[in-house]
Amino acid sequence: MHSYDEPVYLISVVANMLKIHPQTLRQYERDGLIEPARTQGRMRLYSQRDIDRMKMILRLTRDMGVNLAGVDVILRLKEQMEKMEQEIEYLKEELSKVNRHGVVPAGKAVVKKSRYDLVIFEEQ
C-alpha cells in the first residue's frame, strides 16, 4: 500500500475519481489551491493527501457555494490552525517536562499565574 503523501495517481485517474474534468485540476493548480508532484517528464502525480484536499475544495465550492478566493483563504487558515495546534502540543510537552522535573531548563522560564502557567522559550 502507498503512504498518504506518496504521489501515485495520474490526473485522469483523479479527475475520474472526483467526477471532474482534468482541466478543473489544472485550474486549481494555477490558482495555487493544490500542488501535485511532477515526474521527470512533467506529468502530474497526486497523493491521497492531494485527493482529500480536492474533496474539501469541491465540498466548499459545490455544497457551500464558496468561491475560489474564499477557498484559498479557508485553506490557508486551516493550515495556520494546524501549525498552531502542533506548536501548542510542543509547548504542552515542554511544560510537562518542566513539571515532571521541577526544574526549568536553561534558557526557559515559567511564570505562575493564578489561572494559568506561562512558559517562555528562547529561540535557538
Side-chain angles (χ1 to χ4, degrees):
M1 198 71 193
H2 303 288
S3 76
Y4 188 62
D5 292 313
E6 186 178 356
V8 293
Y9 302 100
L10 294 171
I11 191 169
S12 58
V13 173
V14 174
N16 189 40
M17 286 171 60
L18 299 175
K19 296 177 180 33
I20 58 176
H21 196 279
Q23 196 61 33
T24 303
L25 291 166
R26 292 183 190 101
Q27 180 64 47
Y28 290 171
E29 182 181 0
R30 279 191 297 273
D31 291 343
L33 298 175
I34 57 173
E35 196 173 329
R38 298 281 185 148
T39 65
Q40 287 185 340
R42 303 294 297 153
M43 291 177 59
R44 293 172 176 85
L45 289 178
Y46 298 86
S47 67
Q48 187 60 49
R49 182 179 305 277
D50 295 328
I51 292 169
D52 289 345
R53 184 176 175 97
M54 281 301 307
K55 286 179 182 178
M56 178 185 289
I57 292 168
L58 293 171
R59 199 167 35 250
L60 288 168
T61 56
R62 289 177 177 169
D63 300 341
M64 302 179 87
V66 179
N67 65 21
L68 293 182
V71 169
D72 185 44
V73 170
I74 290 168
L75 292 175
R76 288 176 194 266
L77 288 172
K78 183 179 180 295
E79 289 169 3
Q80 251 185 335
M81 286 175 46
E82 288 168 355
K83 286 179 185 174
M84 290 174 155
E85 287 171 354
Q86 290 173 352
E87 186 176 355
I88 288 170
E89 285 306 310
Y90 169 75
L91 292 172
K92 282 181 181 178
E93 289 173 19
E94 289 297 312
L95 181 60
S96 176
K97 289 177 191 175
V98 168
N99 287 338
R100 265 197 312 267
H101 302 300
V103 177
V104 179
K108 301 177 182 180
V110 177
V111 178
K112 292 279 189 182
K113 296 290 180 182
S114 60
R115 293 187 183 167
Y116 60 90
D117 291 342
L118 177 62
V119 180
I120 302 169
F121 297 95
E122 284 184 14
E123 290 188 18
Q124 297 179 11

